[in-house]
């Protein structure tokens, strides 16, 4: 391979080695500062004394006259503890089983990759530069396994830390709501920022340390080094799959059971303490929407970085051992942490939220500010870390590229993410006509609500797909597969802000539940509902980013797989490829069927249990007796741990079966089919569910004449909206978000196992 390096980079290796970990440590430090500021709100009445969290009684705007402040704080603390204990218990149980999976799958990686050359310890000719010797295949097996375990542990840590932060902040957000919606918003957003910055910084730091430790063995063999690093992305996404599916089944089983019996049958408010499923519902917000989502976005970040590093290692960056240019994806992520830090200050310190109508614009402003600042940051990074001209690997040939080409590749990914985010917001926010039309359709019952909601979801796919298509065309034209990989990284470069916005939603949702259960005033519940409604929209935006980036990441990984497997061209007219294509397109539907059925089965048990308690516990409806929360928590826990296995097995085993028995060409078809099909299904499912949820909240809030004409709570249109919301729950929080993991996980798994598939795959076709 010819290496063209027109000029040396401005950023040397020493400075690069300092800046990357420095940015990660700044991110961790900023997260700890935000946590400290959140912790200043006390949730213990003995510390609170007579001053109500340091504020005199006259500054607490609207506690009802007969409410005892100390009693309210005690109730909030008790509820917070119950939610935290439930979430921690579930995650520890889930992670115990995932520990077994990590051990077994790590051994599978080692055996498959080690057998490529018969577990030889002899050096061999490099795959892409045969004139040089590279480390043995056995080394790739060992280091890929270690990278897999590191990625899995980082993913688990990301999810667990997010859950602990969310359960730490939920009651504090509730208590701050007594002082005004602005105070509550800041606590919820700061808490989300803790999670966002910890995840972004930890992911970057662990990957940076791993690369430098692996270099001690690999030395100048960068091809082998970065091929083994792809295991990091596989570990991250495999944990994310089980976290998303398991957490999604947990939270939606509880949510559906609580809503159907509590709101529709018994006509009691959401999060009413009389509802036996209410604690399980609030625990679910943390294990599904927080821990699962954290692992999911970490997986996307890890895979996009690994895909870019792998392609770069077989390009002139790798062959000339230009560490600064090679580290371009890591430097982009480092710049993202700094940009997101500045952006966060706009929400917490510069612009103050004074009323409910300012919440959603403030969150949208975060997206725009981070995107604009990051564009400037990308230009700076591209100028100082890349040579003015270089070559990139392009399916067996080389492509000459200028550094400003990569600026456009990363930027178009970044701005495509913003377009997807704003489109998602338009289709899922009750401030705009699509959701209001869905709400209006509830006049004639649940059936028309479902029809309108499905139509909205299908229509919402159009603009995101065009945005992804444009990003793919431009980035590939400028910089081949490396361009697509860094475009995906661009979409995720502001991951700290995206996660802060995303985590804010479940924290606000929990805060509303705690306010209801603690018996706080309706005015405070209205404030937490307003925070929650904005959070539903931002959660949908977060899922849009995750799905959009997954499409780009999967395509980049697909290109890397095709290169590593030695496939000259993927011809859809070839029978081997076409059968893979059509089966791959079916997989998202099979996977969705499994997850939807799992939620339905678990919800059925939950509904029966909630009904049983209402019918058999004397005085429960009157508030004189306490429900048995623990049984409902156990139903969700058992169902999620049992039901997450089949969908997970489908995703993890499909590439192994397709590659081993049918060969690399059929597997390439499977990956292409699942990518094209999965993106559409994921976007429509997530947006349909989000729209149904906010249509219900639009009726409940009653802030316009139109909304009031559909309400109040308990009216027929409201009951129809609740049914739509219930149908949408597994779509937006289980199947939809899990599909983006399906498409990228199968791609990264195929890349990791590509040497084995290329050497020994296609057993059936060899016999025929």
């Amino acid at each position: 391979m010819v290496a063209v390096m027109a000029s040396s980079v401005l950023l040397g290796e020493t400075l690069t080695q300092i800046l990357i970990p420095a940015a990660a440590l700044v991110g961790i430090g900023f997260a700890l500062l935000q946590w400290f500021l959140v912790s200043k709100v006390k949730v213990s009445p003995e510390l609170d004394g007579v001053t109500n969290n340091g504020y005199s009684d006259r500054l607490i705007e609207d506690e009802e006259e007969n409410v005892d402040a100390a009693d309210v704080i005690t109730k909030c603390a008790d509820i917070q503890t119950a939610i935290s204990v439930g979430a921690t218990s579930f995650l520890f149980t889930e992670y115990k089983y995932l520990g077994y999976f990590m051990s077994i799958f790590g051994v599978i990686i080692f055996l498959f990759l080690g057998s490529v050359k018969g577990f030889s310890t002899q050096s061999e000719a490099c795959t892409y530069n045969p004139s040089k010797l590279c480390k043995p295949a056995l080394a790739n097996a060992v280091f890929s396994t270690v990278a897999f375990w590191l990625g899995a542990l980082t993913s688990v840590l990301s999810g667990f830390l997010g859950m602990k932060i969310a359960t730490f902040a939920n009651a504090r957000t509730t208590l701050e709501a007594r002082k005004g919606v602005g105070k509550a918003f800041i606590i919820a957003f700061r808490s989300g920022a803790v999670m966002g910055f910890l995840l972004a910084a930890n992911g970057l730091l662990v990957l940076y340390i791993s690369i430098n430790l692996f270099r001690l063995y690999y030395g100048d063999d960068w091809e082998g080094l970065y091929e083994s690093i792809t295991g990091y992305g596989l570990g991250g996404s495999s944990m994310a799959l089980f976290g998303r599916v398991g957490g999604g089944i947990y939270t939606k089983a509880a949510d559906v059971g609580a809503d159907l019996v509590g709101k529709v049958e018994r006509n009691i408010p959401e999060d009413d303490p009389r509802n036996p499923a209410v604690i399980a519902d609030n625990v679910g917000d943390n294990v599904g929407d927080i821990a699962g989502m954290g692992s999911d976005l970490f997986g996307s970040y890890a895979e996009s970085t690994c895909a870019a590093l792998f392609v770069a290692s077989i390009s002139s960056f790798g062959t000339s051992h230009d560490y600064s240019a090679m580290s371009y994806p890591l430097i982009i992520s480092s710049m993202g942490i700094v940009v997101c830090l500045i952006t966060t200050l706009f929400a917490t310190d510069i612009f103050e939220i004074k009323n409910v109508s300012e919440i959603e614009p403030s969150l949208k402003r975060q997206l725009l500010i981070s995107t604009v600042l990051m564009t400037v940051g990308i230009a700076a990074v591209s100028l100082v870390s890349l040579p003015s001209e270089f070559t990139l690997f392009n399916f067996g040939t080389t492509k000459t590229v200028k550094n400003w080409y990569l600026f456009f590749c990363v930027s178009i990914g970044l701005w495509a993410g913003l377009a997807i985010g704003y489109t998602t917001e338009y289709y899922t926010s009750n401030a705009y006509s699509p959701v209001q039309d869905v709400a209006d359709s509830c006049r004639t019952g649940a059936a028309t609500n479902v029809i309108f909601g499905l139509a909205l979801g299908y229509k919402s796919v159009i603009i995101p797909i065009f945005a992804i298509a444009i990003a793919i065309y431009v980035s590939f034209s400028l910089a081949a597969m490396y361009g697509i990989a860094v475009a995906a990284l661009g979409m995720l470069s502001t991951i700290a802000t995206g996660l802060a916005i995303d985590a804010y939603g479940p924290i606000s949702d929990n805060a509303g539940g705690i306010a209801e259960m603690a018996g706080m005033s309706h005015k405070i519940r209205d404030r937490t509902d307003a925070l929650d409604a904005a959070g539903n929209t931002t959660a949908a935006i977060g899922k849009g980013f995750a799905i959009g980036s997954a499409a780009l990441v999967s395509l980049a990984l697909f290109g890397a797989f095709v290169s590593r497997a030695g496939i000259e061209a993927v011809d859809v007219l070839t029978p081997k490829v076409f059968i893979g294509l059509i089966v791959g397109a079916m997989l998202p539907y099979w996977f969705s069927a499994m997850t939807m059925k799992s939620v339905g089965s678990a919800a059925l048990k939950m509904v029966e249990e909630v009904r049983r308690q209402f019918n058999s516990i004397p005085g429960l409806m009157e508030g004189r007796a306490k429900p048995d929360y623990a049984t409902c928590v156990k139903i969700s826990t058992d169902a999620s741990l049992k039901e997450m296995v089949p969908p997970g097995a489908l995703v993890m085993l499909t590439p192994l079966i397709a590659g081993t028995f049918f060969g690399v060409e059929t597997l390439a078809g499977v990956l292409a089919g699942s990518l094209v099909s999965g993106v559409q299904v994921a976007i429509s499912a997530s947006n349909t569910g989000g729209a149904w949820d906010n249509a219900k909240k639009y009726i409940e809030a009653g802030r316009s004449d139109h909304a009031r004409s559909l309400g109040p709570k308990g009216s027929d249109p409201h009951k129809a909206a609740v049914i739509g919301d219930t149908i949408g729950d597994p779509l937006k929080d289980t199947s939809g978000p899990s599909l983006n993991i399906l498409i990228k996980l199968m791609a990264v798994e195929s890349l990791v196992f590509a040497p084995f598939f290329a050497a020994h795959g296609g057993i059936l076709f060899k016999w025929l």
Side-chain angles (χ1 to χ4, degrees), residues 55-377:
Y55 284 73
S56 64
D57 283 331
R58 61 188 176 81
L59 291 180
I60 304 295
E61 293 181 10
D62 46 42
E63 282 295 334
E64 291 175 343
E65 290 180 10
N66 297 324
V67 173
D68 181 352
D71 183 53
V72 164
I73 296 169
T74 302
K75 284 182 179 177
C76 287
D78 290 344
I79 297 161
Q80 180 190 47
T81 301
I83 293 170
S84 180
V85 168
T88 304
S89 173
F90 169 75
L91 286 183
F92 272 132
T93 307
E94 181 183 53
Y95 293 157
K96 182 179 75 174
Y97 290 113
L98 291 183
Y100 300 142
F101 162 77
M102 282 168 53
S103 303
I104 294 168
F105 203 78
V107 171
I108 291 172
I109 292 172
F110 174 76
L111 293 176
F112 272 60
L113 296 184
S115 66
V116 171
K117 298 286 184 180
F119 297 96
S120 169
T121 56
Q122 300 296 314
S123 297
E124 56 192 63
C126 298
T127 304
Y128 298 95
N129 194 359
S131 62
K132 290 188 176 182
L133 283 179
C134 284
K135 299 295 183 184
L138 187 62
N140 181 40
V142 172
F143 283 95
S144 293
T145 303
V146 172
F148 168 77
W149 283 332
L150 285 171
L153 288 171
T154 310
S155 180
V156 164
L157 182 66
S158 299
F160 186 75
L161 286 176
M163 181 279 296
K164 295 302 286 184
I165 291 153
T167 54
F168 179 79
N170 50 17
R172 288 170 167 81
T173 304
T174 306
L175 293 173
E176 285 294 277
R178 299 179 302 168
K179 303 163 196 165
V181 71
K183 299 285 186 186
F185 171 82
I186 287 175
I187 290 296
F189 191 82
R190 283 193 196 281
S191 307
V194 176
M195 179 184 179
F197 281 93
L198 277 181
L199 186 145
N202 284 338
L204 176 63
L205 191 61
V206 173
L207 185 56
Y208 166 81
I209 292 170
S210 302
I211 289 169
N212 279 282
L213 288 177
F214 284 21
R215 276 182 78 188
L216 296 176
Y217 170 78
Y218 276 101
D220 289 340
D221 179 14
W222 284 17
E223 180 184 309
L225 165 62
Y226 290 102
E227 182 174 323
S228 64
I229 281 291
T230 56
Y232 184 75
L234 175 59
S237 259
S238 57
M239 293 300 103
L241 174 70
F242 291 105
R244 265 295 196 191
V245 173
I249 292 168
Y250 186 111
T251 182
K252 291 305 115 181
D255 201 357
V256 171
D259 282 357
L260 281 181
V261 182
K263 285 157 74 172
V264 177
E265 295 181 9
R266 295 285 173 166
N267 203 24
I268 59 176
E270 187 167 4
D271 297 313
D272 191 294
R274 294 171 290 177
N275 195 322
V278 71
I279 293 292
D281 186 8
N282 282 279
V283 168
D285 290 336
N286 294 287
V287 299
D289 295 342
I290 293 282
M293 175 262 298
S295 295
D296 179 4
L297 284 179
F298 166 75
S300 290
Y301 163 77
E303 285 165 332
S304 60
T305 307
C306 291
L309 289 171
F310 174 76
V311 177
S313 72
I314 56 177
S315 302
S316 60
F317 299 158
T319 54
S320 62
H321 299 96
D322 184 341
Y323 185 81
S324 295
M326 190 72 212
S327 300
Y328 180 69
L330 300 180
I331 302 170
I332 288 288
S333 298
S334 303
M335 177 61 75
I337 290 173
V338 176
V339 163
C340 291
L341 189 154
I342 297 168
T343 305
T344 300
L345 298 178
F346 281 91
T348 57
D349 297 271
I350 297 173
F351 295 115
E352 184 181 352
I353 301 290
K354 293 179 180 175
N355 57 59
V356 166
S357 62
E358 295 175 4
I359 299 171
E360 205 167 300
S362 177
L363 294 168
K364 283 171 61 181
R365 197 184 302 125
Q366 285 284 294
L367 289 175
L368 185 60
I369 292 169
S370 62
T371 301
V372 171
L373 292 178
M374 192 63 205
T375 304
V376 177

Side-chain angles (χ1 to χ4, degrees), residues 669-699:
V670 170
L671 297 180
S674 64
L675 167 59
V676 171
S677 163
V679 172
Q680 330 279 338
V681 179
I683 294 174
S684 63
S686 294
N687 290 349
T688 293
W692 275 327
D693 195 350
N694 272 346
K696 176 201 69 177
K697 283 187 165 56
Y698 174 75
I699 295 172

Side-chain angles (χ1 to χ4, degrees), residues 270-271 282 285 289 504-514 525 532:
E270 187 167 4
D271 297 313
N282 282 279
D285 290 336
D289 295 342
Y504 153 89
I507 292 169
S508 299
D509 192 0
N510 259 204
I514 291 171
R525 182 66 216 235
D532 183 24

Side-chain angles (χ1 to χ4, degrees), residues 91 124 129 147 220 329 385 397 436 448 460 502 511 540 582 635 644 670 686 688 714 719 738 759 767:
L91 286 183
E124 56 192 63
N129 194 359
D220 289 340
S385 67
T397 62
Q436 291 174 11
T448 45
S460 71
D502 214 344
I582 199 164
I635 288 172
M644 73 179 183
V670 170
S686 294
T688 293
K719 286 182 177 179
S738 302
W767 289 348

